[in-house]
Amino acid sequence: EPEVTQTPSHQVTQMGQEVILRCVPISNHLYFYWYRQILGQKVEFLVSFYNNEISEKSEIFDDQFSVERPDGSNFTLKIRSTKLEDSAMYFCASSEMGGEGNEQFFGPGTRLTVL
Amino acid sequence: QKEVEQNSGPLSVPEGAIASLNCTYSDRVSQSFFWYRQYSGKSPELIMSIYSNGDKEDGRFTAQLNKASQYVSLLIRDSQPSDSATYLCAGTTGGGADGLTFGKGTHLIIQP
């Protein structure tokens, strides 16, 4: 069964450093998403991406964040200058359709630890 | 008003019984609804989606949506210990590449 994959599973970085989290969405899916979950808190939407551009973003997704689809399979989230409060699980998700059929399938996540 | 609200639990249910999980939502996230299961330290796993009023059944799971009351529920029949997890309710506004708005989740414990 096709699934979303993410690398690395765990990333440790120093405050102020740049990190890139990588995702390979399900191959026939057209919509891509990033979410984060701070330990013990709810899953929060960051950004959605369709047709090679950002479709929607939350207030969390400020100028330190960017997303890119560098080739036909990868989808990345870059955090330019990490802060302690960026420590969280980051989940990538993808869906085949938008609108009402927007069933999103999540990858296993990357645990980001900022020291 | 929070956009998606759930009772955090824990909800304890005997094995073999029906577990009933509830969720209310605000006007903004009023189009499509999803139930996810999340085991500790793992990612959300999609269980059910529901878009229109009424019931939708899939195996041991039934999702119910009542748009007039802004209420969505998930019933799990014949509960198994492996059903013990946190159940996340999520909604969208229904447009395009919509981000999901999640509730905090209900922690379900199935007692053997």
Side-chain angles (χ1 to χ4, degrees):
Chain A
E1 186 173 327
E3 57 185 20
V4 177
T5 60
Q6 291 185 243
T7 54
S9 57
H10 190 187
Q11 174 91 48
V12 181
T13 190
Q14 295 291 324
M15 189 169 55
Q17 295 297 303
E18 175 182 287
V19 295
I20 297 176
L21 310 183
R22 292 183 168 79
C23 168
V24 178
I26 294 172
S27 61
N28 64 329
H29 285 188
L30 301 177
Y31 298 81
F32 314 121
Y33 311 83
W34 283 102
Y35 294 83
R36 78 172 186 192
Q37 186 175 31
I38 296 170
L39 187 64
Q41 297 188 25
K42 66 179 180 179
V43 177
E44 298 175 292
F45 168 70
L46 294 177
V47 66
S48 61
F49 192 87
Y50 170 70
N51 200 26
N52 281 318
E53 61 182 21
I54 290 174
S55 181
E56 182 184 351
K57 59 183 180 179
S58 72
E59 58 188 25
I60 302 170
F61 193 87
D62 60 21
D63 291 344
Q64 70 163 337
F65 291 95
S66 62
V67 289
E68 190 179 32
R69 187 151 164 85
D71 54 43
S73 59
N74 290 283
F75 179 51
T76 62
L77 174 70
K78 181 190 290 186
I79 309 175
R80 265 181 270 282
S81 178
T82 51
K83 307 184 183 96
L84 295 176
E85 55 265 35
D86 293 328
S87 294
M89 281 290 286
Y90 287 81
F91 296 112
C92 174
S94 68
S95 65
E96 186 175 4
M97 299 168 55
E100 193 173 84
N102 187 5
E103 291 188 341
Q104 298 180 26
F105 296 88
F106 282 67
T110 293
R111 179 171 299 282
L112 177 64
T113 302
V114 182
L115 302 176
Chain B
Q1 180 187 3
K2 292 181 182 175
E3 294 181 318
V4 177
E5 288 202 64
Q6 296 180 257
N7 188 323
S8 61
L11 174 66
S12 187
V13 173
E15 183 176 357
I18 295 175
S20 178
L21 302 158
N22 305 312
C23 172
T24 58
Y25 60 88
S26 69
D27 289 339
R28 197 183 79 82
V29 287
S30 59
Q31 292 300 317
S32 305
F33 300 92
F34 306 86
W35 283 100
Y36 285 82
R37 176 173 62 198
Q38 187 175 31
Y39 294 113
S40 181
K42 302 296 185 182
S43 62
E45 175 190 4
L46 180 65
I47 300 174
M48 296 277 290
S49 60
I50 188 164
Y51 311 121
S52 53
N53 276 328
D55 295 0
K56 179 181 178 183
E57 187 174 318
D58 184 1
R60 294 188 298 114
F61 299 97
T62 299
Q64 300 173 318
L65 175 60
N66 183 326
K67 290 195 174 185
S69 301
Q70 296 186 305
Y71 177 92
V72 58
S73 65
L74 179 71
L75 301 177
I76 307 174
R77 288 180 298 281
D78 188 24
S79 299
Q80 303 296 311
S82 58
D83 294 327
S84 297
T86 297
Y87 287 80
L88 310 178
C89 174
T92 73
T93 60
D98 234 5
L100 297 172
T101 300
F102 281 88
K104 288 187 175 180
T106 297
H107 184 205
L108 175 66
I109 299 171
I110 305 301
Q111 294 179 320

